[in-house]
Amino acid sequence: MSESTSVNTHAAKNGSKREMWSSRFTFILAATGSAVGLGNIWKFPYITGENGGGAFVLIYLMCIAVIGIPIMMAEVMLGRRGRQDPITTMKHLARESGHSRSWGLLGWMGVIAGFLILSYYSVIAGWALAYVPIMGLGTFNGMDAEGVNAVFAELVASPESLMIWHSLFIVMTMYVVARGVRGGLEKAVTYLMPLLFVLLIILIFYAMDTGYFQQGLAYLFNPDFSKITTEGILSAMGHAFFTLSLGMGAIMVYGSYLPKDTSIAQASIAVAFMDTLVALMAGMVIFPIVFANGLEPGAGPGLIFKTLPLAFGNMNYGTVFGTLFFVLLVFAAWTSSISLIEPAVTWCMKTFQLSRVKTAVLLGVFVWLMGLLTIFSFNIASDFTISSTISTQYGEFVILKDATIFDFLDYLTSNIMLPLGGLMIAIFAGWLMKKEFSREELKINSFWYSTWFFLIRFVAPVMVIIVFLNAMGVIAFMRHIFNA
Ligand code: TRP
């Protein structure tokens, strides 16, 4: 396979011709496009703030290294070996290694998870879209924290405004899905992502200027384990899956286009590294601003929309940089949203024999409708909350506390469905797939292969299970029994 041609066809196992990434670089680009998104810039800072900072960040980083990277390698590997949509791939690979076709269920869960995530992802991307004109008009120039908060509050209080921006983002996503013009988008991102990086660096300089940079860094990197809760640990793990786009087949689909001779390990590590870097940089920007302005780190999903405008409103050329920043954030979200819906698209096209365009329209309508639940959970239905606590004499186990519909959807997908998908991928790759197959795909030296194999066979699945059991209170219960 030559590295220079842009579209290669390749005879896949089933004999059909399939498009291939032209090089490892294209794969890394697309996978980074999927991984780097709202998860890094919007979600990471706000859940870090909700979970008290450093200890949460440390657990998140550990999860990336020990669970995320090995599972990413496994997911890419399964995708490349199967060369189909996730459901068919899992069925096919299960049979190849002599196991049940019901592994196709894994692909199913991924289709549903991606659909649910996109329904709220699109609403938040809509906030970013809304901030483009708001910033562009210079609204935040010289504004104080109170004013900035009010702008955000006004936006989310209006179901109509949110609907408009949510609709626009769904149309953008489905347009690319329908036209299959992702080639163009990915080329654009080649220039835009480095630009986003540069803007983050400019913002870091601003953050240094606030006089609270030290405090922000300390908040991010000095772990205070008294602040971490069992749900916090679960969120850190869930976020590792979310931010790397793992556990639902998105990366599997991308892997299915990967040429045979590309190093899966190097590519996965590169993607995870860039993703983590962007998230940490976002944190280094947000928290100094939070402390400098006496804001609350645990302000919730609005955190970046309440802090970044303060920075832009008070720096030279802030209007230009601020507008550009939200444009770039929209682009980052755009390349992620496409990967969220891609498994559902391939599956729908195949199952209902629909064209790409019809599938895109149909799914677009459904995701849009589902997104209304998230929209309303920020305004007219904000009082509708779910709480679920298991209280035993061994302690209280908060599963959900005053969760809005949005919180619930996020919890269900990030903290449960993605880790469960990842767990199944780990079990499949580590225990069921023939070792000769994984060795053949990964093609790394025996030291690294053994390391990966140990992580995927024991460490990743055991950690996911422990975190689940811990969140459910089972571990505390056992400890009590054995102490008694
Ligand atoms: N990783 C993306 C982000 O951080 C979101 C995303 C895209 C995703 N595709 C995914 C999350 C697949 C889970 C699964 O914004």
Side-chain angles (χ1 to χ4, degrees):
M1 185 132 330
S2 97
E3 292 255 321
S4 55
T5 37
S6 60
V7 174
N8 296 308
T9 41
H10 177 95
K13 285 215 173 52
N14 61 0
S16 67
K17 297 264 185 195
R18 254 175 140 252
E19 226 179 296
M20 284 283 143
W21 302 118
S22 46
S23 68
R24 176 178 64 161
F25 183 65
T26 333
F27 169 80
I28 293 182
L29 212 65
T32 309
S34 165
V36 176
L38 297 174
N40 308 62
I41 291 171
W42 160 73
K43 194 173 177 189
F44 172 73
Y46 106 72
I47 57 175
T48 297
E50 282 182 342
N51 288 289
F56 177 86
V57 175
L58 189 67
I59 297 171
Y60 153 80
L61 290 174
M62 269 173 48
C63 289
I64 294 279
V66 187
I67 307 181
I69 294 176
I71 292 186
M72 188 165 201
M73 287 169 62
E75 193 171 332
V76 175
M77 171 187 87
L78 298 181
R80 183 167 76 181
R81 198 166 178 85
R83 295 236 186 270
Q84 303 274 340
D85 67 279
I87 300 174
T88 321
T89 287
M90 287 314 298
K91 284 185 189 161
H92 169 83
L93 294 180
R95 260 179 312 163
E96 182 189 58
S97 290
H99 297 283
S100 154
R101 287 169 54 96
S102 33
W103 277 93
L105 284 174
L106 174 58
W108 257 103
M109 189 170 71
V111 166
I112 297 169
F115 179 90
L116 292 177
I117 295 174
L118 183 56
S119 80
Y120 70 77
Y121 203 83
S122 162
V123 175
I124 312 297
W127 297 356
L129 271 172
Y131 268 55
V132 173
I134 297 179
M135 283 282 352
L137 291 171
T139 313
F140 298 116
N141 287 346
M143 227 183 214
D144 61 2
E146 217 171 299
V148 169
N149 277 350
V151 173
F152 179 74
E154 193 190 337
L155 173 70
V156 297
S158 157
E160 294 84 8
S161 310
L162 294 187
M163 257 190 240
I164 291 172
W165 298 110
H166 165 60
S167 310
L168 181 59
F169 190 76
I170 291 283
V171 169
M172 284 164 57
T173 301
M174 292 309 168
Y175 175 79
V176 174
V177 168
R179 293 277 310 267
V181 289
R182 54 148 31 102
L185 186 62
E186 256 128 36
K187 274 209 195 80
V189 169
T190 322
Y191 303 101
L192 298 179
M193 288 303 107
L195 205 54
L196 181 65
F197 213 75
V198 171
L199 272 182
L200 280 170
I201 291 174
I202 294 177
L203 282 169
I204 288 181
F205 279 108
Y206 174 85
M208 287 175 172
D209 224 33
T210 57
Y212 285 79
F213 195 62
Q214 290 291 337
Q215 208 173 325
L217 285 191
Y219 186 77
L220 268 179
F221 297 114
N222 275 356
D224 172 359
F225 283 97
S226 68
K227 291 207 182 121
I228 199 80
T229 56
T230 53
E231 321 91 85
I233 298 174
L234 180 64
S235 302
M237 180 179 78
H239 188 62
F241 283 95
F242 185 92
T243 194
L244 295 177
S245 304
L246 293 181
M248 53 75 69
I251 288 297
M252 204 184 282
V253 172
Y254 282 13
S256 76
Y257 301 112
L258 190 65
K260 262 277 176 252
D261 51 7
T262 303
S263 162
I264 291 177
Q266 281 174 10
S268 304
I269 291 170
V271 173
F273 177 78
M274 286 187 278
D275 186 82
T276 308
L277 192 61
V278 173
L280 294 178
M281 284 169 74
M284 293 194 302
V285 171
I286 304 293
F287 291 107
I289 302 177
V290 166
F291 297 125
N293 294 281
L295 300 170
E296 188 43 56
L303 187 65
I304 68 159
F305 298 92
K306 296 174 179 171
T307 47
L308 290 179
L310 280 173
F312 291 123
N314 292 293
M315 69 200 242
N316 295 331
Y317 306 106
T319 304
V320 179
F321 287 143
T323 312
L324 190 59
F325 180 87
F326 283 103
V327 168
L328 295 174
L329 183 59
V330 168
F331 270 94
W334 201 0
T335 48
S336 301
S337 65
I338 291 162
S339 80
L340 278 166
I341 202 65
E342 194 62 35
V345 171
T346 38
W347 176 79
C348 267
M349 284 170 64
K350 213 175 108 173
T351 311
F352 304 114
Q353 297 291 318
L354 287 174
S355 68
R356 212 166 227 286
V357 176
K358 283 202 184 116
T359 308
V361 173
L362 197 73
L363 283 173
V365 170
F366 281 120
V367 176
W368 186 84
L369 282 172
M370 189 75 202
L372 296 181
L373 289 179
T374 294
I375 289 182
F376 297 150
S377 72
F378 287 103
N379 38 65
I380 54 182
S382 61
D383 290 338
F384 181 80
T385 57
I386 311 160
S387 291
S388 166
T389 314
I390 306 177
S391 55
T392 66
Q393 60 194 110
Y394 322 108
E396 286 246 303
F397 298 94
V398 186
I399 307 284
L400 282 170
K401 187 162 178 278
D402 298 329
T404 60
I405 307 172
F406 156 73
D407 295 324
F408 172 73
L409 279 174
D410 180 41
Y411 184 90
L412 176 69
T413 50
S414 312
N415 294 4
I416 299 177
M417 293 174 90
L418 299 179
L420 207 57
L423 175 64
M424 285 165 72
I425 289 170
I427 291 175
F428 189 87
W431 295 87
L432 301 181
M433 190 176 191
K434 294 213 169 82
K435 240 180 138 171
E436 55 188 275
F437 295 156
S438 55
R439 191 176 304 230
E440 184 187 320
E441 290 293 332
L442 291 177
K443 281 202 272 323
I444 35 183
N445 70 34
S446 65
F447 170 74
W448 287 114
Y449 180 80
S450 311
T451 307
W452 171 80
F453 194 71
F454 178 71
L455 290 172
I456 203 76
R457 191 174 170 99
F458 300 108
V459 180
V462 168
M463 296 224 336
V464 174
I465 290 170
I466 289 178
V467 175
F468 274 153
L469 292 179
N470 188 37
M472 291 187 303
V474 175
I475 290 180
F477 175 76
M478 302 284 279
R479 209 184 284 149
H480 178 86
I481 300 276
F482 287 113
N483 282 347

